[in-house]
Amino acid sequence: MLYNRDLINEKILNAIEKSKDYIGLGEAAAYIPELLNVDSDNFAFSLVTTNGESFNYGDTEAVFSIQSISKVIDLIMALTDNNPSEVYAKVGSEPTKYEFNSLVPIGDTAANPFINAGAITTTSMIVGKDNDEKFERILNTYRGMAKYPDAHLMEDVFHSEMKTTDRNKAIAYYLKSKGIFDQNPEEVLELYVKACSIGTNITALATMGALLANKGYDIEDRRMLIPEPVVQLVVSQMASCGMYENSGNYLMNVGIPSKSGVSGAIVGVVPGVCGLGVYSPRLDKTGNSIRGKELFKILSQDLGLNIFV
Ligand code: DON
């Protein structure tokens, strides 16, 4: 991406303009009632380069829950708190054609760390004396990666999901019954849902993407924040499994390792180049932001961000 700032800005503005064709398509997630308490047509976008330059558009003040993007943090922490081989003995690494909250892709293990069953598994491997300490660690990990000290638990979103999370409860009990973890499933579930309810803005999300694009090296503090082998595993899994049962098609069309959340956010990682974040709450039937996906596709072409070409 050897462009100057004005040219990047112009290309992004053009791409955002083109993505307006997708405004109004799809619906915001309704199964977590609190997620409907936002304007479905909210829009924010951020690109942060590995040199720390940032480009921000739309409602950059909007704070939204990261939802399944927390699965990236859960996986990073499971892999740094444990030996990666221990993690991958409890969770698979293959994409699945089933929806993110399905019980079907749990054979001996959950199919991958980015479906709910897989993230509940990785959450169970995060170290701490109790849930409070573990959640504080998760929050601080995100604050550090995203350079966003304001990251916090969105209590309303958390309580709203806890009231409606029967499917995840079934998954947590099922995993326990299979001996994948031995903690109280209710506690593991609570921690998983809390991580989903972390509030962020768009620049923070893109900044986390940029850290991963930079192999885990924090340019501000000049130190490795995440070990490179962990980054390599996490970014590969974003490429293969980050967009649920749409991951193959998305990789083929967009070519950017990404992770979505049902709040309508997507984080993208272009290794060596930049991190991307988009927020646009209307979703397709697989749970991915429609306008967000289309914007990444256009930018991938216009800024040459596809990792394969
Ligand atoms: O567990 C859930 O269902 C939500 N907290 C997160 C799901 C999610 O974000 C799926 N994403 N596209």
Side-chain angles (χ1 to χ4, degrees), residues 31-32 67-68 71 100 116 161 168 192 196 244 260-262 287:
Y31 77 101
I32 302 175
Q67 294 301 331
S68 280
K71 292 175 166 100
F100 60 80
N116 291 10
E161 179 160 6
N168 285 334
Y192 161 82
C196 291
Y244 301 110
S260 61
V262 282

Side-chain angles (χ1 to χ4, degrees), residues 35 63-67 154 157 196-200 263-265:
L35 293 184
V63 172
F64 50 88
S65 55
I66 60 175
Q67 294 301 331
M154 293 180 82
V157 174
C196 291
S197 310
I198 292 176
T200 187
S263 50

Side-chain angles (χ1 to χ4, degrees), residues 104-119:
V104 180
I106 315 176
D108 290 336
T109 62
N112 69 64
F114 290 159
I115 55 168
N116 291 10

Side-chain angles (χ1 to χ4, degrees), residues 27-97:
E27 300 294 338
Y31 77 101
I32 302 175
E34 189 60 29
L35 293 184
L36 283 179
N37 262 347
V38 294
D39 180 350
S40 299
D41 293 318
N42 268 351
F43 173 80
F45 172 76
S46 176
L47 182 155
V48 177
T49 68
T50 47
N51 313 325
E53 257 195 276
S54 79
F55 299 81
N56 301 300
Y57 307 83
D59 194 356
T60 51
E61 303 286 307
V63 172
F64 50 88
S65 55
I66 60 175
Q67 294 301 331
S68 280
I69 295 172
S70 60
K71 292 175 166 100
V72 171
I73 312 169
D74 300 334
L75 179 60
I76 288 172
M77 294 189 70
L79 289 169
T80 43
D81 283 356
N82 305 271
N83 193 309
S85 62
E86 287 166 350
V87 177
Y88 279 103
K90 289 181 184 284
V91 69
S93 53
E94 297 296 339
T96 160
K97 64 181 172 154

